Amino acid sequence: MNTAAGRIDWTRRHMPLLAQMRVRFESSKPFDGMTMGFRIHLEPKTAVLMETLLAGGASIQAIGNQGTTQFDTVEFLTEAGATIIEKPGETKADIEANLDTLAALRPQIVLDNGAELIVRCLDNGTPPMGATEETTSGAFLLREQFEGRVGFPVIVINDSPLKAIVENKHAVGESTMDEIVRTTNVSLHRKRVVVFGYGWCGRGIAQYGRDRGADITVVDIDPIKALEAAMDGFNTASADEAASLGQIFITATGRPGVIPYERMEMMQDGAILVNVGHVDTEIDIPGLHSNTDRVEVKSSITQHDMPSGRTLFVLADGQMANLAVEGGRGNSIESMDLGFTLQALSLELLATNPSSLPKGPQPVPDSINKWIATTMLEIMNGAS
Ligand SMILES: NC(=O)c1ccc[n+]([C@@H]2O[C@H](COP(=O)([O-])OP(=O)(O)OC[C@H]3O[C@@H](n4cnc5c(N)ncnc54)[C@H](O)[C@@H]3O)[C@@H](O)[C@H]2O)c1
């Protein structure tokens, strides 16, 4: 038996919304005859999503995001009928080449996590009928750098208020604190934790950190968000003020360069740096590597002796720590059941009625949000 099969079975049992989607797709086959370019973390929760799309008739060509692919899950998915292009041990350059390969297959439907695949499909002679983009960072890329260039509908899953509340706030908050404590084995009680970004993820991280006894300081470049953090009872500070007072730093902004190397030089001996934003450029890891040696002290923790004589520690080399630390489980299954049902229903709409949607990035239609919220409440209340 495949070593991932038990984990995937456990996961499937806790995804009742996707189970409903599967029954629906098995009879309606919305993706029959379509090639779907699928680019998202390849682990048990996405495996259940992929099974659901395969049940809807999709022919899936897939790769993961760097650093989070579980290869026994890949084996399972291959047996289930998907084609996974990624191989173990691939570098950033290999991942770029895989993205090119996937775009060159001219998928009719794209599911992306970071928008790098969507961007590569923009100039395809036959562009996709439509795409979904999972992340805030990917949506920034499409709305800023590629503004006006996206000639097909892209439903931004992250724009759904449901995903923001259930996944970004509650699940990221909970899983970030779980994985920090599990990986470091360090208690959070009275630790001075600095959270960069008080968006949906930052709010959850601050809340779950406080629940575990940490003393939270929030840094947000938007004064309205900083005021909200203060009204919620958290300390606020500028990035430079916070640099010298924190013991644990967590970035959750979706923007690069949030902790540049110069800011690391202000930090106290023993500070721990963690990123949970989608891009691994929030913390200046290249700057750290060019000024210090990288010594692995413990699984997923690296030590960096600074020229100042102080030592800093980084989790998962600055990759999205709640998933990328060794054994990282990411967000709760239930939150991903909701997020992936947003995906499934959005992909169904793109495949069956793309002309009903405008071109370019747009939020999940409200009818989908309302159906999922109603059904999830029914499930929580034991009625479904
Ligand atoms: N780890 C996970 O499981 C997971 C899950 C969902 C989203 N994400 C990622 O987390 C990141 C944040 O998502 P979100 O939904 O909270 O976004 P958001 O847009 O709601 O919030 C981002 C916040 O960061 C602030 N910000 C931007 N630049 C900053 C800077 N230099 N310093 C301080 N604050 C800054 C913004 O003002 C904003 O308040 C994104 O990259 C998203 O893709 C990760």
Side-chain angles (χ1 to χ4, degrees), residues 75-87:
E75 235 173 76
F76 178 92
L77 290 169
T78 307
E79 282 165 25
T83 303
I84 315 290
I85 295 170
E86 188 181 347
K87 302 277 176 298

Side-chain angles (χ1 to χ4, degrees), residues 4 72 86 139 218 346 371:
D72 54 354
E86 188 181 347
V218 169
S346 300
W371 183 86

Side-chain angles (χ1 to χ4, degrees), residues 52-308:
T52 310
L53 301 172
L54 287 166
S59 159
I60 295 184
Q61 302 276 338
I63 57 172
N65 284 81
Q66 203 192 1
T68 55
T69 299
Q70 298 179 16
F71 282 93
D72 54 354
T73 297
V74 166
E75 235 173 76
F76 178 92
L77 290 169
T78 307
E79 282 165 25
T83 303
I84 315 290
I85 295 170
E86 188 181 347
K87 302 277 176 298
E90 290 192 332
T91 62
K92 233 176 186 156
D94 296 323
I95 300 277
E96 296 283 320
N98 289 339
L99 282 163
D100 291 339
T101 306
L102 206 47
L105 293 170
R106 301 183 196 284
Q108 280 106 336
I109 298 285
V110 169
L111 182 160
D112 203 354
N113 189 46
E116 287 116 323
L117 178 57
I118 294 176
V119 163
R120 282 169 167 79
C121 291
L122 292 182
D123 299 324
N124 267 358
T126 323
M129 295 157 69
T132 56
E133 167 50 41
E134 176 78 8
T135 67
T136 317
S137 329
F140 283 148
L141 189 69
L142 298 175
R143 290 185 167 129
E144 294 173 3
Q145 220 171 307
F146 289 89
E147 194 197 353
R149 288 195 47 201
V150 186
F152 47 87
V154 178
I155 299 182
V156 179
I157 304 299
N158 203 70
D159 284 354
S160 162
L162 282 188
K163 179 183 183 278
I165 295 165
V166 176
E167 184 192 328
N168 295 29
K169 181 175 178 184
H170 287 282
V172 172
E174 189 174 41
S175 66
T176 298
M177 291 306 160
D178 280 352
E179 295 300 342
I180 290 176
V181 172
R182 194 182 57 80
T183 304
T184 62
N185 202 14
V186 160
S187 155
L188 291 174
H189 291 97
R190 297 307 312 277
K191 287 288 183 317
R192 293 184 302 281
V193 174
V194 177
V195 181
F196 284 86
Y198 200 68
W200 287 106
C201 293
R203 289 183 186 105
I205 292 164
Q207 178 184 318
Y208 283 82
R210 174 161 64 192
D211 290 350
R212 290 174 185 215
D215 181 7
I216 304 284
T217 297
V218 169
V219 176
D220 198 302
I221 51 170
D222 178 347
I224 298 173
K225 296 286 180 59
L227 178 62
E228 183 188 347
M231 294 303 291
D232 290 342
F234 299 110
N235 308 312
T236 58
S238 70
D240 286 346
E241 285 162 356
S244 57
L245 67 86
Q247 293 169 295
I248 299 176
F249 295 87
I250 306 172
T251 54
T253 71
R255 298 290 188 173
V258 176
I259 304 188
Y261 178 73
E262 306 76 70
R263 198 157 283 146
M264 296 180 209
E265 286 181 323
M266 303 173 190
M267 292 177 177
Q268 296 180 6
D269 186 43
I272 300 170
L273 280 70
V274 183
N275 168 53
V276 293
H278 176 75
V279 287
D280 64 0
T281 49
E282 295 209 23
I283 300 171
D284 182 9
I285 300 295
L288 192 57
H289 287 174
S290 56
N291 288 284
T292 67
D293 288 332
R294 174 190 181 281
V295 179
E296 187 148 356
V297 281
K298 192 175 177 305
S299 166
S300 305
I301 305 179
T302 50
Q303 173 175 336
H304 300 267
D305 295 329
M306 307 290 280
S308 62

